[in-house]
Amino acid sequence: MNESGNFFSRWTRQHLPTKAWQRILIGLFGLFASLVVMLALITLVLTPTLPSINDLSETQLKVPMRVYAAGGELIAEFGEEKRIPVRMEEVPDLLIKAVLSAEDRSFFYHHGVDFFGILRAAVHNLRTQSSGQGASTITMQVARNYFLSPEKTYTRKLKEVLLAFKIERELSKQQILELYFNKIFLGHRAYGFAAAAQVYYGKSLKELSLPEMAMLAGLPKAPSRDNPLTNPENALDRRNSILRQMQNLGFINEAALNEALNAPLAASNHSLKFAVEAPYVAEMVRQYMFQAYDEKTYAGGFNVYTSIDAKHQLAANKALRAGILEYDRRHGYRGAAGHISFRGKPDNERLDDGLKDYHVVGDLLPGVVLKVEEKTVQVYTQDGASVELGWNGLAWARTYVDENTVGPAPKKAADVLKVGDIVYLEAIEDPAQQTEIGAWRLAQIPDVAGALISLRPTDGAILALTGGFDFYQSGFNRVIQAERQPGSSLKPFIYTAALDKGFTPASLVSGAPIVMEGESPEDEWRPEDYSRKFYGPTRLRKALAQSLNLVSVRLLRAIGISYTVEYLQRFGFDPAKLPHNLSLALGTASATPMQMVNAFTIFANGGYRITPYFIVRVEDTNHKLLEQVKPPVICTDCDDKKILSPTDLAVGKSAAEKDKPNYAPRVLSPELSFLMTSMLRDVIREGTGKAALVLNRKDLAGKTGTTNEYRDAWFSGFNSDLATTAWIGFDQPTSLGRGETGGRAALPIWIDYMRVALQGVPEKPLAPPANVVTQTVNSETGKPTDASDPQAMQEYFIQGTEKPHDLPVVEDNGTETPPPKPEQVPENVREKLF
């Protein structure tokens, strides 16, 4: 053992340096060699785990889905990250130089890692005793942002370096810059410089000024600390530092530097503004896309183009809100939304704090009452303005008692409001109304709801859809989700079934009272007309125009309930939601506004069943077409004139027919469609819809609808270019109040919308088909007469039905029986004439 020790000692003295500095040098070399070996081993282990650069170049950026109207106007955007992808040729050269000055001045010279930059940063940080200067190159940031987790470990840092080398070997500098410019996070949900330019300045990249470019270039290092919206002082210092660096590097001259340094920060939050307000449509698109594309919906960069017409949608929004607010004013003021107590004149900060929990609803602006005078009120609004409410904007506010009762008319402003009340204001935009009312009118968030849907009858394109007063107050889409009783709006389809059974517009049906006995007197059913008057024998044309209930009940009984329920399926009504009794004549079914307008399009387009659609096409982020709608075509000249029954519609196309063009099925003959359109025009000419005469058009047809106890008010109307349904009611069905019929509550909404939607649309004459003839009849009896008869009128008939004849009556069991004599009625029906 001693001999071995002596040998080692002698060998060490003979072969190793004896001086200290030599030994230190050897130790350092050994340490370096060990590190190299260790790094080599780690590299060999980690390199296989690095992602493929093909994955990097093919990585799909998380781009939000954007929804557009038919004309390309933006409706909505869905996605957590705001991003607008750009190509490098779209990026201004000066912005590239600003970013290089801020992040990586040696970008075009290093191979992924800037070793001199690392040394420079280390010296700087040691000298300043800080960690203020980093050494990550743009390539390393790309590696980090695309692949690596945010954890701060030596392994992750080493992977970052290795991946940076790999990226530099396989991608060009321009490709690396493009990845960086599109991926980097720049605060306020903005990813990429194009999105940041939009968020902070509301501009495209090419519109940015030099100081704006420098400000954006300063964000990658610390998007929160150097943010111009949350920390403007830091942002200004960072911007100016980058500008000076650009001048040092020769990217800008001294004059440009001085001008840029003196420029204000000028950044503000330019949240994306939607050109068309259609949130209910946007939500329908979102739901469809999520079902079709799952999680890709929010990051796949889809561009969805809808059928919505911007002009129609704006008109729909305004018409529905105006109609709901008008109803609300008729039923009185329910009081202030809240109250703030203060003495003297409060400062704006106190007022803003009191209003912070109140939001704009359906364009109604919250405010606080500051001063109440005899006939005027001063209000501080949420947008920081002080406005005056004149008496004409206040006088409507009689106290709400119940749906049928309001309090006495106010005599002074203090009868309505007091200082500190939180109220909502309606801005008056119409100059004529401003002259009468003033710029503002007192309002309140309505309890009542409504909906409007408008289709193009030729193909089913949804041109306008609004499912409520304000989507952000209630996202319940009443157009497609509210199943309500259609009331008298259902009568045209029952009348169509009767005409197809042999009745004519001139057929007489009694309007005398009906009593249907039940098991007890309380169970008796006594349908009535709205006027509570009773009519004798009445022509069907007149009965439909006046919406006579008792005539409709007898007509339904005459043609048969089972037959009618089956017939209504061709209009798209679900038989399971149609009552199989005589109350069907009064519209006690269940249908959505979408189903109602779709049914009326069959009259509007001449008898064809179309399917409403709202998505025209879907494109990916590069605008490659993924989906496109192919709506059925209405073919009036096709050889196949077959009218499809409900059974045919349910079966669909046979295998042999699938290669044929996608034609819309005909469900009504041209003759029936013409007769019903003619009769529905009389609803507007001289019936319950005559308020629509204010539009001064002769091509409009439609039908009002009012349900039992005024729970629902409808109007569905059309011409050959447009079919529209308006509905108003409470979400939890309750009475709208006495007199709130379809003609009073819903028709004004329809009129306001159609006034705008039909601007510039020429009228088209309603031409009768070849086998529809006219005959002179007596307006009271419906029987043929001549021109000398003072009660003579012209009536349309399908050829062969113009001569009076006995009509068969179909009972509920489907068998035909001879027409009953006037006194022959079912046993449980008592008829009396008054």
Side-chain angles (χ1 to χ4, degrees):
M1 182 72 181
N2 290 334
E3 289 182 3
S4 297
N6 291 333
F7 174 79
F8 181 78
S9 178
R10 287 196 304 271
W11 187 92
T12 302
R13 287 195 301 270
Q14 291 173 1
H15 293 87
L16 290 181
T18 57
K19 295 181 180 181
W21 68 267
Q22 292 175 327
R23 293 184 179 183
I24 292 172
L25 186 63
I26 290 174
L28 289 174
F29 178 79
L31 180 62
F32 176 75
S34 300
L35 287 173
V36 169
V37 172
M38 187 182 302
L39 286 174
L41 291 173
I42 293 173
T43 300
L44 287 174
V45 172
L46 293 181
T47 298
T49 67
L50 296 177
S52 167
I53 299 304
N54 290 332
D55 293 340
L56 175 62
S57 57
E58 296 173 4
T59 295
Q60 180 70 50
L61 294 171
K62 290 184 178 180
V63 180
M65 177 179 71
R66 295 185 175 95
V67 183
Y68 299 92
E73 303 90 347
L74 186 63
I75 290 177
E77 181 179 278
F78 294 96
E80 294 181 0
E81 299 182 5
K82 298 176 182 177
R83 183 180 277 111
I84 305 172
V86 292
R87 310 292 296 179
M88 280 313 294
E89 52 266 26
E90 302 174 61
V91 180
D93 182 62
L94 205 54
L95 177 58
I96 296 174
K97 290 175 177 176
V99 171
L100 295 180
S101 299
E103 292 296 316
D104 191 355
R105 69 182 75 174
S106 303
F107 174 73
F108 285 105
Y109 305 104
H110 63 65
H111 297 286
V113 178
D114 184 4
F115 293 105
F116 289 107
I118 293 173
L119 183 60
R120 184 175 58 248
V123 170
H124 177 273
N125 293 340
L126 283 172
R127 188 169 58 243
T128 60
Q129 296 296 304
S130 70
S131 57
Q133 198 170 99
S136 287
T137 64
I138 283 177
T139 311
M140 292 170 69
Q141 292 181 58
V142 168
R144 183 190 314 143
N145 277 287
Y146 271 87
F147 289 118
L148 304 175
S149 66
E151 61 178 347
K152 294 184 178 181
T153 64
Y154 291 113
T155 301
R156 186 205 65 86
K157 193 66 178 178
L158 187 56
K159 280 187 174 182
E160 184 181 310
V161 170
L162 294 174
L163 186 55
F165 283 134
K166 188 175 182 180
I167 289 171
E168 289 277 351
R169 286 197 308 271
E170 300 187 29
L171 296 180
S172 70
K173 291 289 187 179
Q174 290 295 315
Q175 289 175 309
I176 296 169
L177 275 181
E178 187 170 299
L179 291 169
Y180 180 80
F181 269 76
N182 284 310
K183 179 73 173 181
I184 198 72
F185 175 61
L186 299 172
H188 285 269
R189 291 177 55 213
Y191 289 79
F193 283 88
Q198 173 64 47
V199 168
Y200 296 113
Y201 294 110
K203 296 180 179 181
S204 67
L205 291 180
K206 292 182 178 180
E207 296 172 316
L208 293 173
S209 65
L210 171 60
E212 291 168 345
M213 292 180 187
M215 200 287 297
L216 294 181
L219 288 172
K221 184 177 181 181
S224 298
R225 187 191 65 200
D226 297 332
N227 194 283
L229 302 185
T230 54
N231 291 294
E233 291 183 2
N234 285 1
L236 190 62
D237 289 343
R238 176 73 171 149
R239 182 201 75 174
N240 292 346
S241 173
I242 292 170
L243 287 169
R244 294 188 184 96
Q245 181 71 357
M246 291 179 73
Q247 197 264 341
N248 291 336
L249 294 172
F251 292 151
I252 59 175
N253 58 34
E254 191 169 350
L257 170 65
N258 292 332
E259 182 182 352
L261 289 175
N262 291 322
L265 198 59
S268 59
N269 194 341
H270 292 75
S271 296
L272 195 62
K273 291 181 172 61
F274 302 131
V276 180
E277 185 189 357
Y280 289 97
V281 176
E283 175 59 16
M284 291 166 65
V285 170
R286 188 198 67 79
Q287 291 181 11
Y288 168 80
M289 292 295 291
F290 189 79
Q291 290 176 355
Y293 298 95
D294 200 40
E295 293 296 338
K296 293 180 182 178
T297 298
Y298 306 114
F302 295 108
N303 296 287
V304 185
Y305 292 85
T306 69
S307 57
I308 295 298
D309 181 281
K311 183 185 82 169
H312 290 63
Q313 185 63 36
L314 175 62
N317 294 338
K318 287 187 174 181
L320 182 64
R321 286 172 178 167
I324 288 176
L325 290 173
E326 179 63 34
Y327 166 88
D328 214 44
R329 287 192 294 273
R330 285 199 296 270
H331 293 269
Y333 188 53
R334 295 185 297 277
H339 188 82
I340 300 175
S341 297
F342 54 82
R343 293 180 180 179
K345 185 178 180 181
D347 57 30
N348 290 356
E349 185 177 349
R350 169 83 173 94
L351 297 174
D352 291 337
D353 184 66
L355 289 170
K356 71 178 187 299
D357 294 327
Y358 296 86
H359 307 285
V360 174
V361 177
D363 293 334
L364 300 183
L365 182 65
V368 182
V369 175
L370 296 180
K371 184 188 295 185
V372 178
E373 298 182 339
E374 182 68 19
K375 296 285 186 178
T376 61
V377 171
Q378 185 183 4
V379 179
Y380 175 84
T381 65
Q382 196 174 59
D383 57 8
S386 183
V387 303
E388 183 177 273
L389 268 178
W391 182 243
N392 288 337
L394 286 166
W396 69 268
R398 302 168 68 167
T399 302
Y400 170 86
V401 178
D402 58 39
E403 70 272 14
N404 296 314
T405 314
V406 293
K411 296 180 180 179
K412 58 184 184 298
D415 293 339
V416 181
L417 298 172
K418 60 183 180 293
V419 172
D421 279 350
I422 296 177
V423 298
Y424 282 88
L425 302 182
E426 175 192 5
I428 306 300
E429 299 177 354
D430 183 14
Q433 281 192 312
Q434 282 186 354
T435 303
E436 177 187 351
I437 299 170
W440 299 91
R441 175 163 51 197
L442 179 67
Q444 58 192 348
I445 298 176
D447 288 336
V448 75
L452 185 144
I453 171 68
S454 187
L455 305 183
R456 186 163 57 218
T458 53
D459 66 352
I462 297 176
L463 302 179
L465 183 154
T466 178
F469 187 77
D470 186 294
F471 175 82
Y472 303 100
Q473 177 204 23
S474 170
F476 182 63
N477 189 343
R478 294 154 189 88
V479 168
I480 58 174
Q481 292 177 293
E483 293 190 346
R484 307 295 292 233
Q485 290 191 6
S488 297
S489 293
L490 199 67
K491 288 176 182 175
F493 311 107
I494 296 172
Y495 277 59
T496 306
L499 295 185
D500 208 6
K501 202 67 178 173
F503 282 83
T504 74
S507 297
L508 292 181
V509 176
S510 173
I514 295 175
V515 178
M516 295 196 67
E517 295 178 343
E519 295 180 0
S520 64
E522 292 79 13
D523 295 331
E524 285 186 345
W525 184 52
R526 298 171 177 262
E528 295 178 325
D529 288 311
Y530 170 71
S531 65
R532 296 186 177 240
K533 296 179 181 178
F534 299 107
Y535 298 82
T538 307
R539 289 178 297 111
L540 289 188
R541 178 181 291 273
K542 181 178 179 181
L544 184 61
Q546 300 298 327
S547 198
L548 301 183
N549 290 336
L550 297 173
V551 170
S552 298
V553 172
R554 283 190 174 82
L555 185 65
L556 175 60
R557 189 186 69 198
I559 61 176
I561 295 171
S562 296
Y563 161 76
T564 304
V565 168
E566 181 182 3
Y567 196 92
L568 264 58
Q569 292 181 60
R570 69 181 62 196
F571 292 99
F573 293 109
D574 182 354
K577 296 179 179 178
L578 300 174
H580 289 58
N581 55 56
L582 291 178
S583 71
L584 177 64
L586 307 184
T588 58
S590 291
T592 65
M594 179 71 83
Q595 290 173 316
M596 293 304 298
V597 74
N598 194 29
F600 275 92
T601 60
I602 295 173
F603 299 135
N605 64 31
Y608 296 90
R609 172 97 165 263
I610 52 92
T611 301
Y613 68 91
F614 56 95
I615 293 178
V616 176
R617 68 184 187 276
V618 178
E619 298 174 353
D620 67 12
T621 190
N622 297 315
H623 294 281
K624 179 183 177 182
L625 186 65
L626 301 177
E627 296 182 43
Q628 186 161 19
V629 70
K630 292 183 179 179
V633 178
I634 290 178
C635 183
T636 55
D637 299 322
C638 296
D639 294 332
D640 186 6
K641 300 292 185 180
K642 178 183 177 183
I643 299 171
L644 298 183
S645 68
T647 304
D648 296 326
L649 290 170
V651 170
K653 288 186 176 182
S654 66
E657 292 176 314
K658 289 188 182 297
D659 293 332
K660 292 184 178 180
N662 188 21
Y663 293 133
R666 177 178 280 284
V667 295
L668 287 185
S669 69
E671 295 77 20
L672 278 177
S673 179
F674 170 83
L675 288 181
M676 284 306 306
T677 300
S678 168
M679 293 170 71
L680 289 169
R681 285 190 174 189
D682 274 8
V683 173
I684 290 177
R685 274 197 288 260
E686 56 189 27
T688 56
K690 60 185 176 183
L693 292 174
V694 71
L695 296 176
N696 197 29
R697 296 183 68 106
K698 297 179 180 178
D699 63 339
L700 299 177
K703 184 69 186 74
T704 52
T706 309
T707 60
N708 191 35
E709 296 182 3
Y710 305 99
R711 289 191 175 98
D712 300 271
W714 298 79
F715 190 82
S716 295
F718 61 91
N719 67 3
S720 59
D721 296 296
L722 206 59
T724 304
T725 289
W727 168 84
I728 190 169
F730 289 98
D731 285 333
Q732 298 300 321
T734 188
S735 177
L736 290 165
R738 281 190 299 270
E740 294 294 351
T741 62
R744 188 184 193 197
L747 179 54
I749 298 171
W750 186 90
I751 291 171
D752 285 350
Y753 168 75
M754 296 293 272
R755 179 183 286 115
V756 177
L758 292 177
Q759 281 178 355
V761 179
E763 295 187 34
K764 295 177 184 176
L766 182 64
N771 57 340
V772 170
V773 298
T774 58
Q775 181 168 302
T776 304
V777 298
N778 182 277
S779 61
E780 292 299 318
T781 66
K783 294 181 178 179
T785 187
D786 54 43
S788 62
D789 185 344
Q791 294 181 317
M793 61 169 286
Q794 292 291 306
E795 183 56 271
Y796 290 108
F797 296 87
I798 298 175
Q799 198 165 22
T801 66
E802 67 271 22
K803 295 181 180 179
H805 61 281
D806 289 337
L807 293 168
V809 177
V810 178
E811 300 291 354
D812 288 351
N813 59 12
T815 60
E816 293 190 358
T817 63
K821 296 179 181 179
E823 65 274 9
Q824 290 179 335
V825 295
E827 293 180 0
N828 66 331
V829 180
R830 300 200 309 268
E831 299 191 14
K832 299 180 181 179
L833 293 175
F834 293 85

